[in-house]
Amino acid sequence: MDSCHGARTAMIVGAGVAGLTVAIALARKGWRVDVAEISPEGATAGWGLCLTGPSLRALDALGLADACLAEGYGMNVITHVDVDGRIADEVRLPRLLGAHRPAMVGIARPGLHHILSEEAGRSGAVVRNGLTVTAVDEDGDLVRVRLSDGTVRTATLVVGADGIRSSVRSLVGLETTLDYHGQMAWRALVPRPAWVTGIHQFAGEVNTAGIVPISDSQAYVFLTENGVEPEALPDAELAPRLRQLLEVFPGRVAEIRPLVPESESESVVRRPVRTTLLAGAWSRGNRVVIGDAAHAPAPQMASGAALAIEDGLVLAEELERHKQVRAGLEAFTARRAKRCRTLVETSVTIVGLEQARRHHEAYPLTDLCHRQMAEPA
């Protein structure tokens, strides 16, 4: 991937949603793109996610929205249920792809990864698994990149798309904090009940639960556990503990609880709710971070993927508009910073409202933020 004869070359670190999206967008604009991914080929974390309207709009610009809609489960409404099991609010999501396509899609992470990986390959990007970056140093208008296998490359651009604990962010010297919000997020893959045709969220006396369809046959149960330290549980305890936490919810959660496996720990994941937000620059020289490396929201707005996908598309657009890479990176940050800050800060506010059991204040905030995110990226 060495730069030569004026070719525009990019080294992207991380083959997640942000990394693969920017790989596709840059390769289509004539960049030579390598992606370094530390995980084995095909590895993904978690069971499913939501592609909200902004996600689908950006994917549609890449010609990939319909593939995601076919892979996942289209939906239009978030139904909020109060602590007594009664419907308290419905958020009707903006249909940004028109009246004949859904507002949002729930999709299995492996399915989305396959769509993006295949398109990255067709576009000419090369993904190298089992590798990461250990050093990134400016060399005039280029960046010298040392990989974990000891090889050294030069590139016009380095993109850190390596998640909330980004190593590229640290190597570049961009300072931020990782904030833990007193919640652990649970996910469990289950069969989809026939009545689950959109997101259902159930307020509890202590915790919040819900279910999201990701195909005709599958859904994932989620639960946010409040007031706990971010400590791991033994794998054998995950499934029984999640079923126990769901016991206290009334109404339809009682129908969901038996769907959670009793002992299959590989079907249940539990992660701390952490956020981060770069307050200043997202780039130094020809090195930039995107996605969760720059702005990781809490999951309450189901929009982390939207920001990551938009980042990839917008970064490629701004680099195309500017002759100098550094100017393109500065324009990218200027275009994205306020939007991403709004989403992250709103998600954190909703976390606090959930913990204070002020759910009715969170519902209109969720609606408002989705409408703000419907504005052009």
Side-chain angles (χ1 to χ4, degrees), residues 119-139:
E119 188 58 32
R122 282 192 293 268
S123 300
V126 177
V127 178
R128 305 181 189 280
N129 291 94
L131 285 178
T132 191
V133 169
T134 59
V136 286
D137 300 303
E138 294 285 327
D139 185 8

Side-chain angles (χ1 to χ4, degrees), residues 111-125:
L112 177 61
H113 182 81
H114 177 76
I115 290 169
L116 295 177
S117 295
E118 289 291 304
E119 188 58 32
R122 282 192 293 268
S123 300

Side-chain angles (χ1 to χ4, degrees), residues 50 133 168 249:
C50 291
V133 169
V168 173
F249 288 84

Side-chain angles (χ1 to χ4, degrees), residues 13-51:
V13 185
V17 173
L20 290 173
T21 302
V22 73
I24 294 165
L26 288 175
R28 289 187 182 181
K29 293 184 182 297
W31 288 69
R32 292 166 52 195
V33 178
D34 258 10
V35 184
E37 169 54 52
I38 191 65
S39 300
E41 184 175 358
T44 57
W47 295 119
L49 53 77
C50 291
L51 297 175

Side-chain angles (χ1 to χ4, degrees), residues 105-344:
V105 63
I107 190 168
R109 285 181 180 271
L112 177 61
H113 182 81
H114 177 76
I115 290 169
L116 295 177
S117 295
E118 289 291 304
E119 188 58 32
R122 282 192 293 268
S123 300
V126 177
V127 178
R128 305 181 189 280
N129 291 94
L131 285 178
T132 191
V133 169
T134 59
V136 286
D137 300 303
E138 294 285 327
D139 185 8
D141 290 331
L142 300 175
V143 184
R144 288 176 58 82
V145 181
R146 182 176 296 277
L147 297 173
S148 53
D149 64 356
T151 60
V152 176
R153 309 287 183 90
T154 56
T156 315
L157 169 70
V158 171
V159 181
D162 50 342
I164 190 171
R165 296 186 179 277
S166 171
S167 60
V168 173
R169 187 180 62 219
S170 299
L171 291 170
V172 174
L174 297 172
E175 300 295 333
T176 189
T177 61
L178 300 185
D179 299 319
Y180 175 63
H181 296 282
Q183 288 185 331
M184 296 295 287
W186 295 75
R187 300 287 186 271
L189 189 67
V190 300
R192 182 185 72 87
W195 55 269
V196 178
T197 57
I199 296 176
H200 289 256
Q201 181 169 307
F202 304 90
E205 292 291 347
V206 177
N207 303 318
T208 303
I211 188 166
V212 180
I214 57 174
S215 72
D216 286 340
S217 61
Q218 291 185 313
Y220 69 84
V221 171
F222 65 87
L223 182 134
T224 49
E225 182 184 12
N226 286 309
V228 289
E229 294 300 316
E231 297 173 348
L233 291 176
D235 287 350
E237 295 181 17
L238 291 176
R241 175 61 177 159
L242 178 56
R243 287 169 66 94
Q244 181 184 28
L245 290 170
L246 292 170
E247 280 182 355
V248 299
F249 288 84
R252 290 202 119 151
V253 179
E255 300 175 37
I256 298 171
R257 181 179 171 274
L259 301 177
V260 176
E262 292 189 21
S263 59
E264 295 178 21
S265 60
E266 63 270 16
S267 296
V268 179
V269 295
R270 179 178 181 264
R271 300 286 186 269
V273 174
R274 299 185 193 274
T275 63
T276 195
L277 180 67
L278 278 172
W282 296 4
S283 64
R284 282 196 174 171
N286 287 19
R287 303 162 295 175
V288 67
V289 293
I290 69 173
D292 280 357
H295 46 72
Q300 274 75 358
M301 281 299 303
S303 295
L307 294 186
I309 293 166
E310 286 182 342
D311 274 1
L313 194 63
V314 171
L315 178 57
E317 290 174 355
E318 293 300 331
L319 288 168
E320 191 74 4
R321 289 191 179 114
H322 294 81
K323 291 183 179 180
Q324 298 296 321
V325 169
R326 296 183 186 194
L329 298 184
E330 290 169 2
F332 161 72
T333 304
R335 186 172 160 188
R336 296 296 293 156
K338 181 178 178 181
R339 180 179 181 85
C340 296
R341 175 177 292 278
T342 296
L343 193 285
V344 172

